[in-house]
Structure formats: structure tokens, C-alpha cells
Amino acid sequence: MTPTPAPPARPSQPVSFDAALRDAMAIAVLAPSSHNCQPWGLAHFTSPGARRAAAHHMGRTEDSDSTYLALALDRERSLVALPAHDLEMLLSCGAYWWLLLRALGIQGWAVAADGYPDHPLHPVSELGDSWPSTWALLAVVELRRHGVPDWDSLAELRTTATERHTNRAPYRKEPVDNELLFTLGQLGDVTSAGTLIRHFTGVDERAHFVRLLARHGGRDFSHTAAWRETHSFVRRDEAAAQAAGDGFALSQLFGPMSAPRRRLFSLALAPATMRTLRPLGYHRVFARGIAAAADKAPATVAMSLPDEAPGGASLVRAGGDLVDYWLRATRAGLAVHPVSVLLQHDDLRRALQSSLGLSGRTVFVARLGRPTTGFPAAPRLDPGRSGRRI
């Protein structure tokens, strides 16, 4: 992993909002997102009409001393093949939003008010043509300067966010300390989503999880539309991934590989190969691999919301709980590898929830442990690409 360069020393004094926002966006873009599609948009309201509209969405009057931001879902960058992808996109945007607001708060910009519509708003008519036509409004916030920056905390957040990424290597079977799991299960920065975090380390619980994966973990590979969409984010190599700024290289899925092995995997994963060999049970080969990796991990983590059909506001807030958990796990030396297939199909999700005694709506499940080796991080888009002045 390339070390994160240390930021230049800065005086302990307030900074301009634009400078603080640039630093915050550079950290927030490191948030986890399904397929590394990075579906978020960020609006900085600067025109009088947009500022009034932002305040109106929070039931407030525009304040000349305040700054207004909005979080959006960019439908051009969203996954659409499965209904459950809507949920994943909102979680991803919420993770970005939490990191952004956290970084701004450390730099001296506090939340004075916020608003989260129950459903993504599209279009936002009062913002006129300046609001991108592909964006759906997810949240609005009013910020005010409240103190001086804490550069040490900002550097720590930047370092941890950089180190946090999906590690798909095998995990050591040694148990994770129960006290650490208990601590991780307590939300570090409650976002009022009502997220419940559960860890499963028992033999029977993990056996249920592994059996479900072995039986059904290949469904995405056999689902023509879902696999075509997933495969569109698979890049030939790390150089191609860096050039695209999203998705993942084969090495980020399977670890370092030679050029001949890369060509072999490219052929093996091609949608045409999946479609042709599906009747022979080809997708079950991948299911067994996923199950074997989960079987070696010492713990499984699941996050659930109280409602079976959570609204958009709850999902955005839950995205904040997710990235908060993942950062704390990273600081503890643990790796997290999401196993989304069991949540992307309702019958599999219900089977998982029944086997593990989970109520409400489980929105995240992953294997948890200490990896046997490092794995390269996925690339990121230029942080400013998602931002707009409106």
C-alpha cells in the first residue's frame, strides 16, 4: 500500500470553508461503495435562490452566516440491475456524507440543522436548471463555524480512511477478542438510524452462514443482468482501474497475478462464459470459493434496521453507521469483506435473517477477521468530480 503523505503543517486557526471542503471531499471519496461505483453527488449552495431553497427544505429561514450543502444520489453512477441495489446506493451515499461532515467538523464547521427526506427527491424544481438532472436529493445540512481545526484528528481520519478498504484475502482463524467485538458493536457516533450491529462467532451460527453461501453464493454470477453490470466494473489491471477511477482490477478481487493468469481470469469471468456454462453449474464454483473464505473467517458481522422497509433517510443515516464501524474495525487491525449476495435477493435475505435470528431489515453482512496478507485498495475518482456549486 502506498503510504498516505502527511499533510503540511497548518496553524491552529479557522480556515475558509472552501479550503475545508476540499480537504473533506478528499477524505469522503474514500468511503465504501458497492462495486466502487461512487454514486454520490455534493452540492454547495452559493446562489441566493439555492440557499433559500436549502433552508426551506429544513423548515428554516436562510442565514447569511451559514453555509449550505446537499447530498445527492447520482443516478448516472448508480447500480440498477437488482431492486436491492437502491438500498446499497443510499448506504454508499450515507457513508460518503458521514465522512464529509466528520472531516468538516474536525476543521471547525459544525452542523446547525439538517434535513433528510423519506424518499429521494427528483427533480428538485425550486433549484431550477442548476441542479443536475440525474441527481436525487438525499440530505441537506446547514453548517456554521464553531471553533479551530484539530489537524491531528484530521490526519488520523485521513489515514484510517485510506487504510480502510475491502480485503478479500483469507483471514486467520484465530478468534477476535470478545471485548473488542463488544466495543465495535457500540455505535461510535450514533446517527439515529437505529442500526443494530450483531457479531456471530459460534460454530452453529457460522455454519448456517457458510451453508447459505455454498448453496446460493453464485446467484449473482448466474443472474445475467446483475453479472453484466458487475462485470462492467471489472478492469483489466490496476493501471486501467486507476485510469477509470472506479470499479476494481482483477488483482483487487483475487490478489496479485501474472499476465497469463490475468488473461485466464478475464475469460473465466466474461458474461458470455457465465451464460454459456451456467447450465453446467459453473456459478457454483464461485459460490464454493466464497463459502470457503467465509468458513475460515473467525466472525461474521451483520447490521440491521428496525423496519422491514426502511425509508431513504434511515438508509442514508445507516451508511454513516456502516463507515463508522468499518473505520473503528480498521483501527483495531481488522478487515471487513462484505458478502452482499445474501442481501440482494429477498429469499436469500429472509433465509439469512431467519438462520441468524435477525429482525427488521438486514442491510449489511460481512466476514470479519485479521487478513493473512494485504490487498490493494480500489481506485477513486477525483474528489472534485462529484461536487457542484449551485
Side-chain angles (χ1 to χ4, degrees):
M1 184 191 309
T2 303
T4 304
R10 300 187 185 181
S12 181
Q13 62 185 24
V15 295
S16 72
F17 182 77
D18 283 348
L21 184 60
R22 283 193 297 272
D23 276 349
M25 291 175 70
I27 293 172
V29 76
L30 300 171
S33 67
S34 181
H35 293 37
N36 192 27
C37 66
Q38 304 167 62
W40 42 72
L42 180 69
H44 180 191
F45 294 121
T46 56
S47 69
R51 289 170 58 86
R52 286 193 300 270
H56 173 74
H57 275 286
M58 294 179 283
R60 296 167 67 85
T61 302
E62 188 258 340
D63 188 327
S64 60
D65 292 329
S66 295
T67 296
Y68 298 91
L69 296 177
L71 172 70
L73 170 66
D74 186 349
R75 299 203 182 278
E76 277 193 332
R77 301 197 59 81
S78 298
L79 305 179
V80 298
L82 299 170
H85 282 155
D86 289 343
L87 180 151
E88 292 184 5
M89 296 302 96
L90 296 185
L91 287 175
S92 300
C93 290
Y96 173 89
W97 189 235
W98 185 93
L99 270 176
L100 183 95
L101 295 181
R102 179 82 167 171
L104 286 171
I106 290 172
Q107 293 180 87
W109 295 89
V111 174
D114 58 26
Y116 293 80
D118 286 334
H119 304 284
L121 297 179
H122 179 78
V124 187
S125 56
E126 62 265 43
L127 295 174
D129 295 337
S130 58
W131 182 264
S133 61
T134 62
W135 284 16
L137 179 68
L138 300 180
V140 183
V141 69
E142 177 183 348
L143 299 165
R144 290 180 186 161
R145 196 194 300 272
H146 76 96
V148 296
D150 180 349
W151 298 119
D152 289 340
S153 293
L154 188 68
E156 190 276 336
L157 179 65
R158 181 187 292 108
T159 297
T160 307
T162 301
E163 292 174 348
R164 182 229 60 82
H165 61 275
T166 300
N167 188 315
R168 297 177 174 85
Y171 294 175
R172 299 201 293 268
K173 296 195 75 168
E174 64 190 52
V176 180
D177 182 74
N178 285 333
E179 185 175 345
L180 173 57
L181 291 179
F182 176 81
T183 301
L184 288 175
Q186 312 305 304
L187 291 176
D189 187 358
V190 177
T191 62
S192 74
T195 307
L196 175 65
I197 300 174
R198 295 271 304 277
H199 293 105
F200 300 94
T201 59
V203 173
D204 290 343
E205 296 165 333
R206 292 179 54 251
H208 284 307
F209 182 58
V210 171
R211 278 198 297 270
L212 274 173
L213 282 173
R215 190 175 305 155
H216 303 290
R219 185 173 295 187
D220 275 1
F221 298 98
S222 65
H223 190 293
T224 300
W227 182 247
R228 185 184 299 116
E229 184 173 63
T230 296
H231 190 266
S232 72
F233 285 93
V234 178
R235 313 301 179 204
R236 181 183 66 256
D237 52 31
E238 290 188 46
Q242 290 294 338
D246 60 9
F248 23 66
L250 287 170
S251 59
Q252 287 149 352
L253 295 175
F254 302 104
M257 57 180 62
S258 64
R261 189 164 182 257
R262 187 167 59 242
R263 287 193 292 271
L264 177 63
F265 270 75
S266 295
L267 177 61
L269 295 174
T273 305
M274 291 289 179
R275 185 173 60 253
T276 301
L277 298 181
R278 180 174 54 201
L280 302 178
Y282 183 55
H283 55 287
R284 297 191 184 96
V285 175
F286 297 93
R288 288 194 292 271
I290 296 171
D295 190 36
K296 292 183 176 69
T300 300
V301 57
M303 299 186 185
S304 303
L305 292 176
D307 296 330
E308 169 70 21
S314 293
L315 290 168
V316 170
R317 293 180 184 276
D321 294 334
L322 167 58
V323 73
D324 177 31
Y325 174 92
W326 206 328
L327 292 180
R328 289 184 290 123
T330 299
R331 284 193 289 269
L334 296 173
V336 178
H337 178 197
V339 187
S340 302
V341 64
L342 295 182
L343 302 180
Q344 291 175 338
H345 306 273
D346 279 343
D347 60 326
L348 302 187
R349 176 180 60 81
R350 293 191 181 99
L352 173 70
Q353 292 190 207
S354 175
S355 67
L356 296 182
L358 298 167
S359 59
R361 176 66 179 257
T362 300
V363 297
F364 183 79
V365 65
R367 61 186 179 108
L368 178 74
R370 302 185 187 280
T372 58
T373 187
F375 243 55
R380 296 293 158 153
L381 294 167
D382 182 280
R385 178 169 174 169
S386 300
R388 299 285 189 280
R389 281 182 177 267
I390 294 177

